[in-house]
Amino acid sequence: MSQLERSPRTRTYLMCPPEHFTVEYTINPWMDTTVAVDAAQALKQWESLRTTLVDLGHVVHVLDARPGLPDMVYSANGAFSVDGTVYGARFRYPQRADEAVAHQAFYDTAGAWRFVAPQHVNEGEGDFAYLPAAYGGIVLAGYGFRTDPAAHAEAQEVLGRPVISLRLVDPAFYHLDTALAALDDRHVTYYPEAFSEASQRVLAQLFPDAVLADRADAEAFGLNLVSDGRHVVLNTDAVDMGHKVRAAGYHPVHVDLSELKRGGGSVKCAVAELRPAQR
């Protein structure tokens, strides 16, 4: 990968402030109900992330937070959009079910979107990643803990893009976006051992020049990142991961999201990418 390829592309994102964020139940290994969340700090950190993305030249839409939905700050889980079509989410756990309704309302009122409600359980960009310049445009899709594999076939029919199913095998990395990230429109970084042996072979064949992460990178949520093709936004704990992406020609931008990590998410979990129809 030549560093000359590392040019940013302006993106449009959707975020939701952590106005009601708490850890009051446990649905992933990172959540600990015995440790109180600093709500003011969480909001300050979220605002720093939003400002960082805006300062990098991107557009950030804000989804209003709703009482009783403490995980709504993880806006990436609410849907998955490709070229103006939105495949809605259907959450595995009932505590988060109403988040899907809030996201659908956003797309219904925003205009210019074709929203398709899902029949199968899936958690949006938590388990889907789109690479528009890889093999003509493919979707990588995770399963094993949250998303039903049947949702992969459903997403392929809805979006009209090939969907590659990847099996997650480590409960610590329960969503695809904790184990793999798109660095630009054709390149990825991932932690191999988060996937089954067969899925590791698939990834190695598709992305022989991928940036490989180790377990320490993944446990620091270093793969839960957002990249515009040059600037890679990742949390401050992911120091070694920052070195790896820099060595690959990208520019790491660190943001402190220590409070949001208490709920099992970091940068990517808090940021959904909106992909409008191509003109």
Side-chain angles (χ1 to χ4, degrees):
M1 291 189 291
S2 168
Q3 294 192 21
L4 295 177
E5 298 178 51
R6 307 294 182 256
S7 56
R9 177 168 59 81
T10 301
R11 313 292 177 113
T12 302
Y13 298 120
L14 178 66
M15 298 179 65
C16 180
E19 293 174 356
H20 308 288
F21 177 58
T22 62
V23 179
E24 57 187 37
Y25 47 76
T26 302
I27 59 174
N28 69 60
W30 304 96
M31 302 177 83
D32 184 352
T33 58
T34 67
V35 180
V37 169
D38 185 331
Q41 183 70 356
L43 188 58
K44 180 180 179 182
Q45 292 176 352
W46 177 90
E47 180 59 32
S48 176
L49 174 59
R50 188 196 68 81
T51 300
T52 296
L53 295 173
V54 170
D55 288 347
L56 288 172
H58 305 299
V59 176
V60 178
H61 295 280
V62 177
L63 181 65
D64 291 337
R66 297 191 181 186
L69 296 175
D71 282 341
M72 198 169 165
V73 63
Y74 304 121
S75 61
N77 302 152
F80 177 55
S81 66
V82 174
D83 293 345
T85 296
V86 180
Y87 178 51
R90 184 175 181 182
F91 285 87
R92 172 70 61 187
Y93 292 100
Q95 294 96 326
R96 300 194 65 184
D98 286 343
E99 293 180 42
V101 177
H103 281 265
Q104 180 172 355
F106 169 82
Y107 290 104
D108 286 345
T109 58
W113 297 98
R114 182 175 76 92
F115 186 93
V116 180
Q119 297 298 310
H120 298 287
V121 171
N122 81 89
E123 300 200 347
E125 280 197 317
D127 273 326
F128 291 104
Y130 182 50
L131 293 148
Y135 304 98
I138 62 171
V139 175
L140 302 180
Y143 73 98
F145 299 102
R146 296 293 185 87
T147 293
D148 188 328
H152 296 181
E154 185 176 46
Q156 181 168 276
E157 289 301 307
V158 169
L159 301 171
R161 297 291 187 279
V163 175
I164 309 298
S165 294
L166 301 168
R167 183 185 173 202
L168 297 162
V169 296
D170 189 326
F173 312 111
Y174 58 95
H175 272 157
L176 182 70
D177 69 5
T178 65
L180 178 148
L183 290 171
D184 54 34
D185 289 347
R186 69 175 67 226
H187 299 114
V188 302
T189 178
Y190 66 96
Y191 169 49
E193 283 70 27
F195 298 92
S196 68
E197 290 186 4
S199 293
Q200 288 181 46
R201 291 196 295 272
V202 169
L203 285 168
Q205 179 176 333
L206 291 175
F207 305 103
D209 56 355
V211 175
L212 298 183
D214 59 26
R215 187 174 187 88
D217 297 322
E219 289 183 342
F221 282 81
L223 291 162
N224 197 243
L225 59 82
V226 168
S227 176
D228 64 12
R230 173 168 171 73
H231 308 100
V232 178
V233 183
L234 65 171
N235 76 78
T236 52
D237 290 340
V239 176
D240 288 343
M241 192 66 211
H243 294 327
K244 288 183 173 71
V245 299
R246 186 182 294 279
Y250 301 91
H251 180 67
V253 180
H254 291 279
V255 179
D256 184 6
L257 286 185
S258 57
E259 290 304 307
L260 292 191
K261 285 174 64 179
R262 297 183 187 277
S266 188
V267 175
K268 178 55 194 168
C269 286
V271 180
E273 184 168 351
L274 306 183
R275 302 177 184 88
Q278 299 297 310
R279 296 181 180 179

